[in-house]
Amino acid sequence: MENYFEPQMEKRAVNEISALGLAHVGDGVFELLVRTALCTGGRATQTSLHKATVRQVSAPAQAARMERMLPLLTEEELAYYRRGRNAHAHHSIPKNASRDQYAKATGLETLFGALYLLGQRDRILELFTLTMEETNAI
């Protein structure tokens, strides 16, 4: 049986996944981290949880977080980020985000997707925690 909670794919296999495929996984990883941080941080009501989650997972918020994260990345991590940032998403950009913000957010999601599939959960947590603490977001 495949362990979908803790994948440990080989780098070659991860590199064969499209940037938007990695971003698809990374979007879920990032949102789960935000939701977990909010719940464990004492947010009590469904309304406050939802609003705080939406605020943190928006393209502008992810783009700002990515800007702070860039100096922390290795060359390999930067390569995943650039793949996502440069991917041509064929759906519309949200009204609240610029094209640049959307590209950076997709880069963040691609990076988190790749790290997750590679089994590098400690690194995801490190990057997530550093950028969340810096913004006092949670």
Side-chain angles (χ1 to χ4, degrees), residues 69-119:
M69 204 180 296
L70 281 172
L72 308 172
L73 301 182
T74 66
E75 284 302 317
E76 184 177 340
E77 291 167 346
L78 277 169
Y80 284 117
Y81 163 70
R82 288 184 192 115
R83 270 183 70 191
R85 183 195 63 197
N86 297 333
H88 297 289
H90 296 290
H91 44 82
S92 61
I93 295 170
K95 288 182 259 184
N96 69 332
S98 69
R99 183 173 299 281
D100 184 58
Q101 289 171 324
Y102 191 71
K104 288 176 182 174
T106 303
L108 179 144
E109 292 169 351
T110 301
L111 170 63
F112 274 38
L115 291 174
Y116 176 75
L117 293 174
L118 290 166

Side-chain angles (χ1 to χ4, degrees), residues 5 7 9 16 28 36 38 41 44 66 70-71 91 94-95 105-106 111 115 120 130-132:
F5 278 115
M9 293 177 69
E16 291 175 358
T36 302
L38 290 169
M66 194 64 238
L70 281 172
H91 44 82
K95 288 182 259 184
T106 303
L111 170 63
L115 291 174
Q120 295 182 20
L130 287 171
T131 59
M132 295 308 275

